[in-house]
Amino acid sequence: MKTQNNYQTPEEKSYSSEAFAANLLSCEFKKAFEHVFTIQGAIFKPNDGLMPSSTEADTIIICEGGIFVFEVKSWDGFIHQEQSTFFVTQPGKPAKHRDNPIHQNTRKCRYLKALVPGINVQNRVLITGENAVLDYKLPPLLMTRQDIPHCVRTDSYLARHKLNLIPPDEVKRIYQVIAGAISEANVTKEEHIANCQFHHKGELALQAA
């Protein structure tokens, strides 16, 4: 009899969470917009002088409402923020410190704004944990999976109300420009992880000096 090994490495857990998020977001945006392109795990080389040299956007949605860049976190528990640090708390366990996901996404959004000037680019954070609960003081650009339908409906309403809908041909052109930038960067997932690890080790060395 075959036994199934359910163990997942941190990298595998991260990928499964991101793949789940990309599918979920794509399905919901397609209910609100007719022309939707979804890109998962887009790796760019911004050439902005910052390190690491590459950066990855977990999920990018391109539609008539603009470009929505999602940082995906599989956090589970009560989530709140103190200054620039996020905390995830589960019953009976100490709170876990987490880096600010909004800041983590800022570089990617800035790069895309320069890549396709004049297009609405939105920084979003999706928390996929089944029991994730967001503190009411957190910025509205953070959402749980239960929040997605309402957020997408809001984005659809605002784009139509403000007459800011992007024509279908332009949506396709934007997708092609972004896809071209990913292809031109030509960075694999493994290479990007190595870039991040190298940079992180360098930061630790500077802190210890």
Side-chain angles (χ1 to χ4, degrees):
M1 180 188 292
K2 260 189 174 180
T3 58
Q4 184 175 357
N5 182 3
N6 291 321
Y7 172 76
Q8 287 183 304
T9 66
E11 289 80 9
E12 288 171 334
K13 286 181 180 177
S14 174
Y15 178 79
S16 62
S17 173
E18 291 165 10
F20 169 80
N23 182 62
L24 198 61
L25 290 164
S26 181
C27 289
E28 290 299 326
F29 271 91
K30 285 177 180 178
K31 294 176 184 177
F33 299 99
E34 292 183 22
H35 301 87
V36 177
F37 292 92
T38 305
I39 304 175
Q40 181 197 339
I43 301 177
F44 304 105
K45 293 186 77 172
N47 296 319
D48 53 8
L50 300 177
M51 295 296 290
S53 59
S54 56
T55 185
E56 180 180 12
D58 293 333
T59 299
I60 300 175
I61 299 288
I62 305 155
C63 63
E64 293 97 324
I67 302 172
F68 299 84
V69 186
F70 285 87
E71 178 75 15
V72 178
K73 299 296 183 185
S74 57
W75 300 345
D76 220 358
F78 178 69
I79 299 157
H80 73 285
Q81 180 182 10
E82 294 179 15
Q83 296 182 347
S84 61
T85 303
F86 277 67
F87 295 86
V88 182
T89 307
Q90 293 179 323
K93 297 181 180 180
K96 295 181 179 179
H97 297 62
R98 294 288 183 259
D99 291 334
N100 188 323
I102 302 170
H103 292 172
Q104 288 178 321
N105 221 21
T106 300
R107 185 186 184 194
K108 306 151 198 177
C109 292
R110 184 169 61 237
Y111 171 73
L112 289 172
K113 284 179 180 178
L115 190 65
V116 282
I119 301 299
N120 176 35
V121 177
Q122 292 289 327
N123 184 342
R124 298 291 170 84
V125 178
L126 174 60
I127 312 296
T128 60
E130 204 169 329
N131 300 303
V133 177
L134 301 179
D135 184 270
Y136 274 67
K137 299 184 186 71
L138 287 172
L141 59 85
L142 278 87
M143 67 184 78
T144 65
R145 62 168 86 172
Q146 291 81 11
D147 297 326
I148 296 175
H150 173 74
C151 292
V152 174
R153 183 162 56 85
T154 300
D155 290 325
S156 173
Y157 173 80
L158 290 175
R160 298 174 199 283
H161 184 68
K162 294 180 179 179
L163 301 179
N164 277 343
L165 288 174
I166 301 171
D169 288 349
E170 180 68 357
V171 173
K172 185 177 181 180
R173 185 194 71 82
I174 293 167
Y175 165 74
Q176 291 171 336
V177 169
I178 294 174
I182 297 168
S183 178
E184 185 178 341
N186 194 28
V187 179
T188 66
K189 180 83 170 181
E190 292 74 21
E191 289 169 340
H192 173 62
I193 291 172
N195 286 341
C196 293
Q197 290 173 339
F198 179 79
H199 174 61
H200 183 60
K201 286 178 183 176
E203 280 193 328
L204 290 178
L206 285 173
Q207 290 171 13

